[in-house]
Amino acid sequence: MKILENVSLKEYNTFGIDKKAHFFIQAKEIQDIREAITWSRTQKLPLFVLGGGSNVLFTHDLEAVVLKVNIQGISISRESGEHVWLKAGAGVVWQDLVDHAIKKGWSGIENLSWIPGTVGASPMQNIGAYGVEIREVFDHLTAVNRETLQTETFDNEACCFGYRESIFKNHLKDKYIISYVVLKLNKQHHFNTSYGDVQKTLEELGYAPDIQSISEAVIRIRQKKLPDPKAIGNAGSFFKNPTLSQETFDRLKRRFPDIPGYTTANGVKIPAAWLIDQAGWKGKRFGQAGVHHRQPLVLVNFGAAEGKDILDLSKMIQEDISQKFGIHLEREVNVI
Ligand SMILES: Cc1cc2nc3c(=O)[nH]c(=O)nc-3n(C[C@H](O)[C@H](O)[C@H](O)COP(=O)(O)OP(=O)(O)OC[C@H]3O[C@@H](n4cnc5c(N)ncnc54)[C@H](O)[C@@H]3O)c2cc1C
């Protein structure tokens, strides 16, 4: 286990924020995770777990041991006539797993194409896009208990998945380090093309829906809509889409007849992007931080922003939306 000191995290977060880790360790196997936990204890320093850094905003140097989980490997852990249980190391790049599944002809995660980050972080916030969430194909994960150093298994129910939520962001926050994830993918396909522009894009491309074409359509839409973190620092959607009671939504609809809303099991979901756009934030720039000109849900670093600049901007937006619409926008990005 190699321990590096005073490491810049600029290359390790998609916002491109230049903060330092006091110590930096890469874990290539479970034993490295255990050793890093033990070592951080001897240093009396907190341990911060990092995947691809695409859902974090660093606001200060980390007086901590930063552990980048880099466990690799994709393998079949079980197979039946209808399903395949695909196991991947936490450090596998999410898109590599998607590509693997597509190549093999297994469906279930094609709508989640082009989401940055690692497999290990994917259950953390129950990643979702284009009408699909990982919980729909999630079978179980293994994780190291940071207290006992034992490996434990969490099945789908134990993860308590919700919209951009899991138990690891709530009751078990900072208690486990995910090492492997197993997804139950389908050999018999049921496609979901009903969300957003997927169907329309397939038609434009002249493709019939299959795993490959859906993935291509999703990537095409995402590349059109979302800024590439390599070109301009960002962490995707900064806020979650708020869910309101039907009554609150009806009241807002009387004031703002154009407000879109989608009925879900928990209430009416409003696109946060619409609220931010209506409030006039789209394309606004404050020094090195700003709101993206095409996708107002995405806050961007024009190059030299500090994490605090982005955080301050997010707070201004939250306050404004609260005043204008009476809605609290919850952050999706993990502010560190
Ligand atoms: C351009 C862009 C588009 C995006 N689009 C989407 C989208 O469509 N849908 C969506 O859901 N998300 C989206 N995201 C957010 C992000 O890609 C996902 O949340 C992704 O799963 C984060 O993975 P990561 O490896 O980068 O995690 P990181 O940012 O490194 O970490 C995120 C959190 O998980 C913890 N963590 C990471 N790895 C582990 C582990 N092995 N064990 C325990 N804890 C861990 C970290 O401590 C941190 O709290 C987007 C981001 C970008 C930049």
Side-chain angles (χ1 to χ4, degrees):
M1 193 180 71
K2 211 156 111 189
I3 301 165
L4 303 175
E5 210 171 335
N6 260 333
V7 173
S8 165
L9 295 170
K10 192 170 163 57
E11 299 301 317
Y12 293 101
N13 72 98
T14 58
F15 258 123
I17 301 290
D18 194 4
K19 290 292 169 200
K20 282 201 172 64
H22 191 149
F23 293 106
F24 186 87
I25 298 175
Q26 298 224 24
K28 298 209 169 94
E29 47 191 77
I30 291 184
Q31 190 51 28
D32 295 340
I33 295 182
R34 294 201 179 100
E35 283 176 24
I37 296 171
T38 311
W39 191 78
S40 70
R41 280 184 199 154
T42 62
Q43 298 299 308
K44 298 196 169 35
L45 283 176
L47 183 78
F48 176 74
V49 186
L50 188 63
S54 63
N55 203 16
V56 288
L57 176 65
F58 295 125
T59 55
H60 53 83
D61 287 335
L62 269 70
E63 192 49 32
V65 176
V66 172
L67 177 67
K68 178 159 168 61
V69 182
N70 205 359
I71 298 175
Q72 295 297 316
I74 302 177
S75 59
I76 294 176
S77 71
R78 218 171 119 194
E79 199 166 358
S80 72
E82 288 174 19
H83 300 289
V84 61
W85 283 258
L86 197 60
K87 177 179 175 180
V92 170
V93 170
W94 173 258
Q95 184 59 27
D96 290 349
L97 186 66
V98 174
D99 287 341
H100 185 92
I102 292 171
K103 217 159 96 195
K104 296 285 185 182
W106 302 323
S107 69
I109 51 176
E110 57 281 0
N111 292 48
L112 303 179
S113 293
W114 220 240
I115 296 180
T118 57
V119 167
S122 62
M124 289 295 295
Q125 71 153 9
N126 176 29
I127 56 167
Y130 297 93
V132 171
E133 289 178 332
I134 194 181
R135 71 165 146 192
E136 290 160 48
V137 291
F138 178 91
D139 191 73
H140 70 271
L141 61 79
T142 53
V144 177
N145 182 322
R146 290 172 65 158
E147 195 61 45
T148 65
L149 303 187
Q150 296 299 307
T151 298
E152 296 175 27
T153 300
F154 291 79
D155 65 13
N156 197 311
E157 202 182 329
C159 291
C160 302
F161 289 126
Y163 165 60
R164 301 295 183 273
E165 286 295 342
S166 76
I167 197 159
F168 302 104
K169 276 183 82 177
N170 296 299
H171 299 318
L172 298 183
K173 190 171 161 50
D174 297 331
K175 300 268 188 261
Y176 286 87
I177 301 179
I178 296 167
S179 47
Y180 287 94
V181 174
V182 177
L183 304 181
K184 185 181 169 189
L185 301 180
N186 307 304
K187 291 181 175 176
Q188 265 123 44
H189 306 144
H190 318 276
F191 299 123
N192 181 344
T193 60
S194 58
Y195 195 91
D197 287 344
V198 178
Q199 186 61 41
K200 194 172 134 227
T201 307
L202 283 171
E203 282 160 19
E204 277 166 15
L205 291 168
Y207 292 159
D210 62 27
I211 309 174
Q212 177 75 48
S213 65
I214 291 173
S215 172
E216 266 183 58
V218 166
I219 292 173
R220 182 176 275 241
I221 300 167
R222 292 182 70 98
Q223 286 177 339
K224 243 194 267 171
K225 274 194 175 169
L226 291 169
D228 177 0
K230 286 196 191 96
I232 186 160
N234 75 90
S237 304
F238 200 88
F239 302 103
K240 293 181 183 180
N241 292 319
T243 301
L244 311 178
S245 69
Q246 186 67 50
E247 196 192 344
T248 311
F249 177 72
D250 292 343
R251 214 171 38 238
L252 270 173
K253 188 97 184 154
R254 284 194 286 277
R255 276 178 62 207
F256 307 98
D258 294 339
I259 189 169
Y262 309 94
T263 306
T264 71
N266 304 321
V268 185
K269 199 184 268 185
I270 317 284
W274 187 89
L275 299 170
I276 299 169
D277 193 4
Q278 289 297 303
W281 288 93
K282 188 151 96 179
K284 283 257 167 82
R285 181 173 176 159
F286 298 84
Q288 291 293 309
V291 180
H292 192 252
H293 64 280
R294 273 196 312 269
Q295 176 45 277
L297 202 45
V298 177
L299 304 189
V300 295
N301 171 9
F302 287 103
E306 293 285 340
K308 193 179 167 302
D309 301 332
I310 309 269
L311 183 61
D312 288 348
L313 171 58
S314 78
K315 286 180 181 164
M316 287 197 288
I317 295 172
Q318 277 173 320
E319 262 177 48
D320 193 39
I321 297 302
S322 172
Q323 273 181 14
K324 290 200 166 97
F325 300 98
I327 294 175
H328 172 67
L329 284 185
E330 208 183 313
R331 280 197 300 261
E332 182 177 317
V333 171
N334 300 281
V335 175
I336 312 296

